[in-house]
Amino acid sequence: MKLRINLFYKMLFIIVVIISITLFLYGRSYQNNIKLITNQLTLTDLNQLNFFTQQLDNNIDQLFTNAYTLFRDSTIRNFGQIDNLEHLINRNHTKLNVLEKLSLQTSSANLINHIAVYNVNSKEVLSTDSTSQFGELALKQSLDTDWTFVPYTAQSMSQGEFHMYLASPAHYLETPEKANMIMEVRFSTSELVKMLSEYQTQYSGDTFLFQQNNEIISQPGSDLDLAKGILSKIEDLEDKKNISTIVNFDGKRYMVNSAWSESLKWHVIHYSPLEVFLKPLESSRLAFYMASIFLLIISIFLLLLLFRQIHRPISMLIRAVNRIKEGMWSYRINLNTNNEFSILNEAFNEMASQIQTLIEQVYMEQLRVKDAYLKQLQSQINPHFLYNCLFFIKSKAGVGDTDAVSAMAINLGEYYRYITRLDESNTTIGQELKLLENYLSVQNLRKQRIAYRIHVPESLLELQIPRLLIQPLVENSIVHGIEKISGQGIITITGKTEGTRLYISVEDNGAGMSEQDRIKLLEKIESPVFNETSGYGLWNVQQRLKHVFGVHSGLSLSISEMGGVCVTLRMDRKEV
């Protein structure tokens, strides 16, 4: 009897230890999951906030661009010289035309705005807002060239407005009394509040705009005390443009993200209570702990009832657990019993089968994630010269140069058809060189001073490489090399093999770089995380080379004999 009691306590001790270890591992896993989920939520929220801020800046930039275009209009300029041109134009007719164009311009913008034109000499004001005034006092001080916030009085329904000015001539903004004409563009903060409201309906928490002088633009009903309290917990807010952090305030944790509006020079800040997102995990943890306690109680009860019948089945079960632990995922318990352990054995076999299936799924998922990551890196290489090419086509079409228009359209179409085809991640060197010819043809049509030479053996043209590996190097040579010099630009593309290694070099006669700058750039592209605003294309290519061809592949930089920079792709094909 003493032996049985000792064995019983030993088995009980084992169960307690197993459950304790499970709880400990679950606790560690729970903390890691909290960190992971928090990081993912923060990243997602920051990306969404950056997208919203970009939309905001686009609307404001469109407002400025439209106003500047309108200010260059001949009818508007006639109004500025109306006293001198009175013998040539009808004064009233000109004013009506100006008002019509002002109204048309304000109605075409995404933001409701008002435009006023002030003739300094005749002191006449034409505006889309009948209440608009432009006093003499405003001419005694320099006018704002950027968007400036002007708060309203406490009785106003809106929090204020943003305005900016244009002057003719432009350099008279500092001395507006000497200008011929001044244009004022303004919009109410209620337009920004409307955008904030549309954005906020999709997310929890609150979103507001914040300026360094403690000005806040928020939605009606926002908790300004909470917003100010959260802002007080953020260090160096004025010195940083983008912030992503977790703030503890008033006993609660808040996820806070900030994006910088380049147009307004304001912070766009969004905060959310972190507990809202983590509450399901808290409930799951409580349920897990309750289930663990319940399991312990049931185990003790079963030990008391079934002690005589569990020794052999438990031995088999422990053996099976050890086999699974050793990585033998296909191991199963083959023991026919007529008691309750048959259910346990079946459950274990089912669990082992599920574990085996899950491990295989996780392995395949890792492969898919790696492939998706490579495609994501590839898709980030997105040329930014489309607008320039479209403006080139428009310009050449305007002068009747159909040959240039046709050449640009064909090469640009071939170029974009190639880079937007994401169904295959690999291509041949020959197809990649064809893309370069299209790209360089487009660049040469625009700049008309780029010569290029391609020296790649025919035997290499059918070799498979990841798509868009060479084009970023050529683009880098043009943007950072040839564009910084005057005269003829030359780009040379060469290819060769040495054993299992493939080398492709892009060399130019551009501005080049110092040895110190070369070493600094190499350090940037070698970093696993890239946080700079330039050099992203080279870093992207470097990461893709490492992922596809292994750690012995990558980029190398050297000073070109032509006076510029030579960038070499090194691909160790034996590691593929």
Side-chain angles (χ1 to χ4, degrees):
M1 184 64 183
K2 182 178 180 181
L3 179 62
R4 295 181 179 178
I5 295 176
N6 289 339
L7 184 58
F8 168 77
Y9 282 114
K10 289 179 181 179
M11 296 179 65
L12 179 60
F13 175 77
I14 292 173
I15 292 176
V16 171
V17 169
I18 291 175
I19 294 179
S20 299
I21 293 175
T22 304
L23 292 175
F24 173 77
L25 293 177
Y26 177 80
R28 293 292 300 272
S29 175
Y30 174 80
Q31 294 299 326
N32 292 334
N33 289 338
I34 290 292
K35 293 179 181 178
L36 178 62
I37 292 174
T38 301
N39 291 337
Q40 291 295 328
L41 288 172
T42 302
L43 179 61
T44 301
D45 187 70
L46 181 60
N47 289 338
Q48 293 167 342
L49 189 63
N50 282 330
F51 180 76
F52 169 76
T53 304
Q54 184 179 3
Q55 287 182 316
L56 176 65
D57 285 346
N58 288 342
N59 288 336
I60 296 173
D61 291 342
Q62 179 195 19
L63 193 61
F64 171 81
T65 302
N66 292 345
Y68 181 81
T69 303
L70 179 63
F71 194 62
R72 306 290 297 177
D73 188 85
S74 59
T75 304
I76 304 298
R77 290 192 169 274
N78 287 341
F79 175 73
Q81 300 287 338
I82 196 169
D83 291 335
N84 299 328
L85 302 175
E86 199 165 18
H87 61 288
L88 298 176
I89 60 176
N90 184 287
R91 190 181 192 92
N92 292 330
H93 183 69
T94 299
K95 290 182 180 180
L96 289 176
N97 286 341
V98 170
L99 287 173
E100 183 179 352
K101 291 193 174 186
L102 293 180
S103 299
L104 181 63
Q105 194 66 49
T106 56
S107 62
S108 64
N110 292 330
L111 298 177
I112 298 177
N113 63 95
H114 294 289
I115 303 177
V117 181
Y118 179 69
N119 188 315
V120 177
N121 296 322
S122 65
K123 298 180 175 53
E124 293 181 279
V125 178
L126 296 180
S127 173
T128 57
D129 183 7
S130 60
T131 63
S132 178
Q133 297 182 357
F134 201 96
E136 290 292 325
L137 183 60
L139 299 177
K140 303 300 182 182
Q141 54 189 356
S142 61
L143 301 177
D144 300 314
T145 57
D146 295 325
W147 292 103
T148 303
F149 175 69
V150 179
Y152 286 163
T153 60
Q155 290 78 17
S156 175
M157 294 298 293
S158 178
Q159 300 176 46
E161 65 178 12
F162 286 88
H163 64 208
M164 55 83 63
Y165 297 92
L166 297 172
S168 178
H171 59 274
Y172 281 151
L173 276 174
E174 295 184 357
T175 55
E177 69 276 7
K178 297 180 181 180
N180 295 326
M181 179 176 58
I182 295 173
M183 174 181 283
E184 179 190 26
V185 184
R186 56 189 173 88
F187 64 90
S188 172
T189 57
S190 59
E191 294 299 306
L192 302 182
V193 171
K194 186 188 302 181
M195 293 187 66
L196 290 175
S197 299
E198 293 174 356
Y199 174 80
Q200 191 57 46
T201 55
Q202 307 174 41
Y203 311 105
S204 61
D206 196 11
T207 309
F208 59 89
L209 279 80
F210 173 74
Q211 195 185 36
Q212 296 177 356
N213 59 2
N214 293 324
E215 291 284 352
I216 294 179
I217 298 176
S218 61
Q219 308 168 64
S222 296
D223 191 342
L224 293 181
D225 292 335
L226 176 58
K228 292 178 180 178
I230 291 176
L231 289 173
S232 66
K233 297 292 184 178
I234 303 177
E235 298 179 0
D236 301 328
L237 178 60
E238 298 179 357
D239 300 330
K240 299 179 181 177
K241 291 187 176 180
N242 292 316
I243 292 177
S244 183
T245 185
I246 302 298
V247 171
N248 292 313
F249 178 73
D250 199 19
K252 296 182 179 180
R253 292 191 301 166
Y254 295 89
M255 179 177 62
V256 183
N257 286 298
S258 172
W260 178 253
S261 172
E262 292 291 347
S263 299
L264 295 179
K265 310 302 181 188
W266 282 53
H267 291 278
V268 181
I269 299 176
H270 177 254
Y271 67 87
S272 299
L274 199 56
E275 284 72 18
V276 174
F277 304 102
L278 302 182
K279 188 175 181 180
L281 282 179
E282 295 286 349
S283 301
S284 175
R285 181 178 64 168
L286 179 61
F288 181 84
Y289 288 155
M290 296 298 295
S292 300
I293 295 173
F294 179 77
L295 178 61
L296 178 60
I297 297 173
I298 294 298
S299 299
I300 296 174
F301 179 75
L302 290 177
L303 282 174
L304 293 172
L305 293 179
L306 306 175
F307 173 77
R308 293 178 179 271
Q309 306 177 35
I310 66 172
H311 182 68
R312 185 168 176 265
I314 284 294
S315 298
M316 296 291 294
L317 181 60
I318 292 175
R319 186 181 302 124
V321 170
N322 289 332
R323 295 297 181 270
I324 295 294
K325 186 178 180 181
E326 293 168 359
M328 299 175 61
W329 313 116
S330 60
Y331 187 87
R332 301 293 184 269
I333 297 177
N334 297 316
L335 180 62
N336 296 322
T337 60
N338 296 321
N339 54 28
E340 292 79 2
F341 277 97
S342 61
I343 300 176
L344 182 60
N345 293 338
E346 292 174 2
F348 176 84
N349 289 337
E350 182 179 357
M351 180 190 69
S353 177
Q354 292 177 354
I355 291 175
Q356 183 179 4
T357 302
L358 288 174
I359 289 175
E360 293 173 353
Q361 290 177 349
V362 168
Y363 177 74
M364 296 303 298
E365 185 65 21
Q366 288 176 344
L367 294 180
R368 286 193 293 268
V369 167
K370 183 176 180 180
D371 183 65
Y373 177 66
L374 293 177
K375 287 189 176 181
Q376 188 268 343
L377 285 175
Q378 174 181 313
S379 67
Q380 288 178 345
I381 305 178
N382 183 21
H384 300 288
F385 65 99
L386 175 59
Y387 287 149
N388 291 332
C389 295
L390 294 178
F391 286 138
F392 174 88
I393 293 175
K394 178 180 180 296
S395 175
K396 291 301 181 181
V399 299
D401 191 352
T402 57
D403 292 338
V405 171
S406 177
M408 175 62 79
I410 291 173
N411 285 285
L412 188 63
E414 290 293 329
Y415 175 78
Y416 272 102
R417 181 170 62 179
Y418 182 91
I419 68 172
T420 54
R421 190 176 69 240
L422 298 178
D423 53 337
E424 295 181 359
S425 58
N426 290 334
T427 186
T428 63
I429 293 179
Q431 291 174 331
E432 196 77 350
L433 295 179
K434 175 62 178 175
L435 169 71
L436 295 182
E437 291 178 356
N438 295 133
Y439 176 76
L440 288 169
S441 297
V442 169
Q443 291 285 15
N444 210 25
L445 283 170
R446 293 176 53 228
K447 306 181 185 303
Q448 298 183 352
R449 65 182 185 91
I450 300 176
Y452 63 93
R453 300 189 290 262
I454 299 178
H455 302 296
V456 178
E458 192 170 335
S459 59
L460 303 181
L461 297 182
E462 296 302 320
L463 292 182
Q464 292 283 326
I465 62 173
R467 299 174 69 249
L468 294 174
L469 272 186
I470 311 176
Q471 186 272 340
L473 308 186
V474 176
E475 182 179 0
N476 194 70
S477 294
I478 296 174
V479 174
H480 299 289
I482 293 176
E483 285 187 353
K484 296 183 178 181
I485 65 170
S486 58
Q488 181 75 14
I490 301 175
I491 296 177
T492 301
I493 303 168
T494 58
K496 64 178 182 178
T497 57
E498 293 182 1
T500 60
R501 289 191 174 182
L502 170 65
Y503 296 88
I504 299 178
S505 300
V506 177
E507 191 175 6
D508 63 75
N509 67 335
M513 62 172 59
S514 64
E515 180 65 16
Q516 183 178 2
D517 291 338
R518 185 186 72 84
I519 295 175
K520 186 177 180 180
L521 181 56
L522 277 174
E523 292 175 350
K524 287 182 181 178
I525 64 177
E526 285 290 347
S527 173
V529 179
F530 192 82
N531 296 318
E532 302 290 335
T533 57
S534 61
Y536 182 80
L538 295 180
W539 178 86
N540 193 310
V541 172
Q542 174 80 340
Q543 301 307 309
R544 295 169 64 205
L545 286 173
K546 297 289 186 184
H547 276 287
V548 176
F549 297 103
V551 295
H552 297 294
S553 302
L555 292 176
S556 62
L557 302 176
S558 61
I559 305 303
S560 171
E561 295 179 357
M562 301 166 59
V565 176
C566 178
V567 183
T568 301
L569 290 165
R570 182 179 67 256
M571 291 166 274
D572 195 343
R573 301 182 60 81
K574 71 179 181 180
E575 296 186 19
V576 178

